[in-house]
Amino acid sequence: MTESHYQHLRQYPNEQQNRSTQIVKAATAVTAGGSLLIMAGLILSATIIALTIVTPLFVIFSPVLVPAVITVVLLSMGFLASGGFGVAAITVLAWIYQYITGKHPPGADQLDTARHKLFNKAREIKDYGQQQISGPQAS
């Protein structure tokens, strides 16, 4: 026997194993895909049947359901907004309390810097205004 014949015998089991693995993978994919396709069809059918049954009930009760849903949505939004503004107000009041008592809350440096810039700009405008008023009188 030649060397090439031995190589072919050694490669043949690998080829057989690769083919069987591919067949198993394909069978699994077909089974899983088919099952999911059947489930999707059943769910679609159930949805259509349920919608067909429930639609007349929605039409009959819509004069009650629509205002009820609108009321519930508005009440929920009102409570959420009220709670949010309450939390924001408490947070702002706590920050102001910490700032006034000198505990240096986050952002206090930026507030101090902005206050100093505003104060300096107001002083510059005041000085400029005084110069403009006193300038024509001096001449």
Side-chain angles (χ1 to χ4, degrees), residues 30-107:
V30 167
T31 304
S35 300
L36 291 174
L37 192 60
I38 290 171
M39 289 298 294
L42 289 174
I43 290 173
L44 179 65
S45 300
T47 303
I48 291 171
I49 292 169
L51 193 59
T52 304
I53 292 171
V54 174
T55 299
L57 294 175
F58 279 152
V59 170
I60 291 170
F61 292 112
S62 66
V64 175
L65 291 177
V66 171
V69 168
I70 291 172
T71 303
V72 168
V73 167
L74 288 176
L75 282 172
S76 301
M77 289 174 54
F79 281 123
L80 286 173
S82 172
F85 286 130
V87 168
I90 290 171
T91 304
V92 167
L93 289 173
W95 189 92
I96 290 172
Y97 176 75
Q98 287 180 354
Y99 183 75
I100 290 173
T101 57
K103 294 183 182 173
H104 200 71

